[in-house]
Amino acid sequence: MLSRSRIVDAAVDLIEREGADAVSMRRIAAGLGVGVMSLYNHVPNKAALLDAISESVLSKIEFTDDPSAHWTDRVRVQARAFRQIAHHYPRSTMVVFSRQLHSTAGLLPVERALSTLRDAGFEGSEAVRMLRMFVAYIVGSLLREVGVTPTFAPVRGDATTVDVDPALFPEVSSLAPYLTSCDHDEEFEFGLELLVQAMSVRAGKQAGRRSARG
Amino acid sequence: MLSRSRIVDAAVDLIEREGADAVSMRRIAAGLGVGVMSLYNHVPNKAALLDAISESVLSKIEFTDDPSAHWTDRVRVQARAFRQIAHHYPRSTMVVFSRQLHSTAGLLPVERALSTLRDAGFEGSEAVRMLRMFVAYIVGSLLREVGVTPTFAPVRGDATTVDVDPALFPEVSSLAPYLTSCDHDEEFEFGLELLVQAMSVRAGKQAGRRSARG
DNA sequence: GTTGACGGACGTACAGCGTACGTGCCAGTC
DNA sequence: GACTGGCACGTACGCTGTACGTCCGTCAAC
């Protein structure tokens, strides 16, 4: 029996195997051994299916939040949880990023994050701003890692040959070795640590007089 | 007479007017008062055209770098220049973000940024890491602003009504006013300032004695 | 002036797309 | 038995990208 979740799962599989461009209602139906129009009994249209895919991927984020841990560690854990799911479904993640979702699938992560930020001493608009900044960094990082967007390492994939004019681009040329290679894990952790430290400073300023929560 | 740049310009116009989904070779040709296949005399295929669009948009970034200014201000200026062009071509920016570009169109910004980072005291891999982190933040922010990706304000557009269960999501519920509204300018500047400050701290550590910004 | 070559504009054609619409099968309820 | 509603499915339409062939204007060589 066909069902919405079976369709979504098949679509995610197809995306991961052959890329987002390969996704068509016909291909999904064929993968399920089913007629094309049968899908429309469970999904109103393709756009809604893509939204459902986004929701499905987002809901797979594992948030094992430990309220007793220090808030900085909780921030790290949550950021990595986000990243891990993106690595597990890289091509579907691109679909998520390319769609505006109005669902509540992302509510739980937001709730957890805000709770953590409150423990860090951020209140009101400051907490929301911190959250948005963090999400921006994570999304931007994942967009680079997933490979669809700018590693801004504009040299050839072959790390040995660099076809950049040193006279025109001295910095790019001299830093070419670092620009061509990219250890995504290190890169992500570097930015994460920087942000956490920046948040710590800000938290100290804000909560300076008042007592921070344990 | 048809030309590659005329085609690209027409495509960008079409994207901005009617969205990326509306872009088809036929529509572009019609907009130019030209037959569909004529386009293929100047562009090998649609994918290449989209790449050309990305390149065109990126090349429009205005970098009026002032080497005499403090590096923190130069960072700010460069970040805002990036953002400004994204605001000028919001829908085309999404096309840029959704494509992996191997062109050298983004080289000049990278060169300027690395030069600025060098002045800040960052060398080698540290400079590249800083650049990548900054780009990640900017890209993530723009992705939110351009509206295609998660403002993570999962409540309704109507700011007065919030359909979130306060029992299940107390933080989201209590911060709803801040989550529903989003002043993109303030939001961007907030994260920008946080990053610049974080970089200042790091620069101080790395370069030893250096004038901190007041 | 004639001829030949060539590049660009264009029409036709084909496979694939999303999906509106209609048809038929089957389970459940009077 | 008749009726109803949900689901699987086929057909069909208008759209897409683009391979291929054709036509025409320009220019060089004779």
Side-chain angles (χ1 to χ4, degrees):
Chain A
M1 183 69 165
L2 210 50
S3 76
R4 181 184 161 99
S5 68
R6 285 224 309 143
I7 294 174
V8 170
D9 290 348
V12 171
D13 280 356
L14 180 58
I15 291 177
E16 293 307 326
R17 280 204 321 274
E18 306 197 28
D21 290 347
V23 171
S24 77
M25 301 303 272
R26 283 172 171 81
R27 299 274 272 115
I28 295 171
L32 288 165
V34 137
V36 195
M37 295 315 290
S38 307
L39 303 179
Y40 286 87
N41 288 321
H42 305 270
V43 164
N45 52 47
K46 189 184 181 182
L49 174 56
L50 292 178
D51 286 343
I53 290 173
S54 297
E55 199 166 337
S56 167
V57 171
L58 278 184
S59 71
K60 292 203 170 83
I61 300 178
E62 288 181 13
F63 273 112
T64 55
D65 193 21
D66 176 11
S68 71
H70 193 342
W71 69 265
T72 53
D73 282 332
R74 291 169 67 192
V75 166
R76 279 184 265 260
V77 165
Q78 288 172 18
R80 290 182 193 127
F82 202 132
R83 180 167 178 258
Q84 186 185 339
I85 197 66
H87 277 201
H88 208 277
Y89 304 94
R91 297 171 135 164
S92 303
T93 299
M94 281 312 300
V95 174
V96 175
F97 287 164
S98 68
R99 306 200 60 78
Q100 189 165 11
L101 49 154
H102 299 288
S103 83
T104 59
L107 261 187
L108 183 60
V110 172
E111 176 68 22
R112 294 284 168 79
L114 289 176
S115 169
T116 302
L117 289 170
R118 175 181 293 273
D119 287 354
F122 298 109
E123 310 266 347
S125 65
E126 184 99 341
V128 173
R129 275 207 267 258
M130 282 292 176
L131 171 63
R132 290 210 174 109
M133 193 209 57
F134 231 90
V135 169
Y137 168 70
I138 294 175
V139 167
S141 295
L142 295 180
L143 209 53
R144 159 163 40 81
E145 293 190 32
V146 158
V148 189
T149 308
T151 144
F152 266 110
V155 283
R156 286 286 169 273
D158 189 348
T160 59
T161 63
V162 178
D163 54 352
V164 175
D165 186 349
L168 290 175
F169 303 103
E171 302 289 347
V172 170
S173 182
S174 76
L175 294 175
Y178 302 111
L179 285 170
T180 48
S181 70
C182 183
D183 183 324
H184 291 303
D185 286 347
E186 274 186 23
E187 214 77 42
F188 184 80
E189 291 294 328
F190 175 85
L192 180 57
E193 222 48 44
L194 205 82
L195 287 187
V196 168
Q197 287 174 19
M199 287 173 70
S200 293
V201 173
R202 200 63 148 236
K205 276 185 194 167
Q206 170 155 323
R209 298 297 164 87
R210 57 184 82 189
S211 62
R213 304 179 178 229
Chain B
M1 180 70 162
L2 211 48
S3 76
R4 181 183 161 99
S5 68
R6 285 224 308 142
I7 294 174
V8 170
D9 290 349
V12 170
D13 280 356
L14 180 58
I15 291 177
E16 293 307 324
R17 281 204 320 274
E18 306 198 27
D21 289 348
V23 170
S24 77
M25 300 303 272
R26 282 173 172 81
R27 293 291 307 272
I28 295 171
L32 287 164
V34 136
V36 194
M37 295 315 290
S38 307
L39 303 178
Y40 286 87
N41 289 320
H42 305 270
V43 164
N45 52 48
K46 189 184 181 181
L49 174 56
L50 292 178
D51 286 342
I53 291 172
S54 298
E55 199 165 336
S56 168
V57 170
L58 278 184
S59 70
K60 291 203 170 84
I61 300 178
E62 287 181 14
F63 274 113
T64 56
D65 193 21
D66 176 10
S68 71
H70 194 318
W71 69 266
T72 52
D73 282 332
R74 291 169 67 193
V75 166
R76 281 183 264 260
V77 166
Q78 288 171 18
R80 290 181 193 129
F82 203 132
R83 179 166 180 260
Q84 185 185 339
I85 197 68
H87 276 202
H88 208 276
Y89 304 93
R91 297 170 135 164
S92 303
T93 299
M94 281 311 301
V95 174
V96 175
F97 287 165
S98 69
R99 305 199 62 77
Q100 187 165 13
L101 49 153
H102 299 286
S103 84
T104 60
L107 260 187
L108 184 60
V110 171
E111 176 69 21
R112 295 282 170 79
L114 289 175
S115 170
T116 302
L117 288 169
R118 174 180 293 275
D119 288 353
F122 298 109
E123 310 267 347
S125 65
E126 184 99 343
V128 172
R129 275 207 266 257
M130 283 291 178
L131 171 62
R132 291 212 174 107
M133 192 209 58
F134 231 91
V135 170
Y137 168 70
I138 294 174
V139 167
S141 294
L142 295 181
L143 210 51
R144 158 164 39 82
E145 292 191 31
V146 158
V148 189
T149 307
T151 144
F152 266 110
V155 283
R156 288 285 170 274
D158 189 348
T160 58
T161 63
V162 178
D163 53 354
V164 175
D165 186 349
L168 290 175
F169 303 102
E171 302 290 345
V172 171
S173 182
S174 77
L175 293 175
Y178 301 111
L179 285 169
T180 48
S181 70
C182 184
D183 183 324
H184 291 301
D185 287 347
E186 273 187 23
E187 214 76 42
F188 183 81
E189 291 294 330
F190 174 85
L192 179 58
E193 222 48 45
L194 204 81
L195 286 187
V196 168
Q197 287 174 18
M199 287 173 71
S200 293
V201 173
R202 200 64 148 234
K205 277 184 193 166
Q206 169 156 321
R209 284 291 164 264
R210 232 187 134 75
S211 63
R213 187 181 181 279

